[in-house]
Amino acid sequence: MTRRTSLRPAFVQYIPETLEDGVLYISPENRTVAHLCCCGCRSEVITPLDLTQWRLIYDGRVSLDPSVGSWNLPCRSHYWIRHNAVQWAEPWTDARIAAARNAQRQRTAQHYAPSQAQPVASEVSPPSPPKGLWERLLAWLAR
Ligand SMILES: [Zn+2]
């Protein structure tokens, strides 16, 4: 198996069922990018475009951010897609994968439940309620 060093972007409405080797399928409508693993193992790699997952940069050529780490595949491929080029990176250790998964979970939790990150309501003192009519009358009488 030879490691691929470039990908050809293809904008599609739907990701096709059978992917062609060397093509980076981009579906803006479904916010999904898919390609066959660049190591040549032909495993499908799906990278959802989401604030908490991958970001696609398109300037005529395509970059994906962050890197693509196929830890669930036997090949454990890890590479960056930069300007249609595949930049191979070192495979991560189990500890680093666990840490990255943890960080991803936290990002997702913060993104979907921002209220949990806010201070609790009881820490904010409520504004004093307006004085009632009777209280105001008493105050007037006491002048
Ligand atoms: Zn692979």
Side-chain angles (χ1 to χ4, degrees), residues 29-92:
E29 206 170 298
N30 294 295
R31 302 192 64 74
T32 303
V33 175
H35 68 283
L36 292 181
C37 180
C38 292
C39 85
C41 71
R42 299 193 64 83
S43 300
E44 276 187 28
V45 179
I46 311 285
T47 46
L49 302 179
D50 188 288
L51 283 175
T52 64
Q53 300 190 64
W54 278 274
R55 199 161 60 96
L56 181 84
I57 302 118
Y58 182 71
D59 55 3
R61 291 178 299 174
V62 167
S63 304
L64 262 190
D65 196 62
S67 59
V68 179
S70 299
W71 321 128
N72 296 323
L73 300 180
C75 64
R76 287 202 167 188
S77 289
H78 182 212
Y79 46 81
W80 294 84
I81 297 172
R82 287 271 181 270
H83 302 108
N84 293 1
V86 180
Q87 296 173 356
W88 285 86
E90 286 302 303
W92 283 3

Side-chain angles (χ1 to χ4, degrees), residues 74-142:
C75 64
R76 287 202 167 188
S77 289
H78 182 212
Y79 46 81
W80 294 84
I81 297 172
R82 287 271 181 270
H83 302 108
N84 293 1
V86 180
Q87 296 173 356
W88 285 86
E90 286 302 303
W92 283 3
T93 59
D94 288 343
R96 189 152 177 214
I97 292 166
R101 283 198 176 133
N102 225 359
Q104 165 76 38
R105 262 199 296 278
Q106 278 177 12
R107 273 203 304 277
T108 306
Q110 277 169 17
H111 179 64
Y112 290 109
S115 57
Q116 283 179 5
Q118 308 277 319
V120 288
S122 60
E123 283 175 6
V124 182
S125 55
S128 51
K131 281 182 179 174
L133 186 66
W134 183 242
E135 262 180 288
R136 269 187 285 163
L137 184 64
L138 283 177
W140 181 78
L141 288 170

Side-chain angles (χ1 to χ4, degrees), residues 12-35:
V12 292
Q13 191 175 5
Y14 302 104
I15 305 294
E17 231 164 89
T18 314
L19 304 184
E20 196 184 312
D21 197 21
V23 179
L24 186 71
Y25 295 91
I26 301 153
S27 168
E29 206 170 298
N30 294 295
R31 302 192 64 74
T32 303
V33 175
H35 68 283

